[in-house]
Amino acid sequence: MKRTYFTLDEANAMLPLVKAELEKLQSIKREFAEKYEQLRQLKAYHREYGIVSEEGDPYFTLECEMDFLQVEGNTILLSFELKGVQLKDLDTGLIDFPALLNGEEVLLCWRQGEERVEHYHGLYDGFAGRKRLNEEG
């Protein structure tokens, strides 16, 4: 796959879509965790009381809902990948946009809650090494 580089303007223009997809993915993660816990409790309850269903699989609906959420989440992850955007941390909403800065490969860095992309870091520096875009060097 061809490497995609973003300008600062392109990364900022993409933020509304990235924010929406990020929030949807976070919602899917929460919903999946809730359904997983429901399924775990249901199975434990059936084991504890020796309940055997004679009307089909009692877990089928929850498992199907979880499968659908997984497909939906994977679709959003693929969407990030196809755009060239890197989701670094779902929980904190950390997103990187590959870019070239003064001929050097860097990652424009945005975290959920920030208004605009205003930081960058080296390819191997991570969030801890991020700098404001006007602090080159």
Side-chain angles (χ1 to χ4, degrees), residues 15 18-20 22-23 26 89-95 109-119 127 130:
L15 274 185
V18 167
K19 286 179 187 179
L22 177 64
E23 289 168 3
Q26 290 169 330
D89 187 306
L90 178 59
D91 296 327
T92 61
L94 192 57
I95 304 283
C109 182
W110 175 82
R111 184 169 56 179
Q112 194 171 26
E114 295 175 343
E115 290 294 315
R116 304 179 46 73
V117 176
E118 297 178 332
H119 298 87
F127 183 81
R130 81 183 201 152

Side-chain angles (χ1 to χ4, degrees), residues 12 50 101-102 110:
N12 280 313
L101 184 63
N102 300 324
W110 175 82

Side-chain angles (χ1 to χ4, degrees), residues 4-21:
T4 301
Y5 293 109
F6 294 87
T7 65
L8 180 59
D9 288 341
E10 289 168 339
N12 280 313
M14 190 171 283
L15 274 185
L17 177 60
V18 167
K19 286 179 187 179
E21 288 182 336

Side-chain angles (χ1 to χ4, degrees), residues 25-91:
L25 200 53
Q26 290 169 330
S27 173
I28 288 169
K29 181 181 177 185
R30 282 189 301 275
E31 191 175 347
F32 187 91
E34 290 167 8
K35 290 190 182 302
Y36 179 82
E37 182 59 23
Q38 289 173 9
L39 182 62
R40 190 192 65 72
Q41 288 178 7
L42 183 61
K43 286 182 176 184
Y45 178 81
H46 283 187
R47 268 192 313 275
E48 184 177 339
Y49 293 101
I51 297 172
V52 178
S53 176
E54 295 180 15
E55 298 189 19
D57 183 352
Y59 316 121
F60 179 77
T61 300
L62 274 173
E63 288 172 340
C64 285
E65 290 171 352
M66 291 170 65
D67 285 347
F68 178 78
L69 288 169
Q70 190 170 15
V71 168
E72 193 175 12
N74 285 339
T75 300
I76 295 171
L77 290 173
L78 180 60
S79 174
F80 278 119
E81 186 179 324
L82 291 173
K83 286 192 245 341
V85 174
Q86 300 175 9
L87 174 61
K88 295 298 176 125
D89 187 306
L90 178 59
D91 296 327

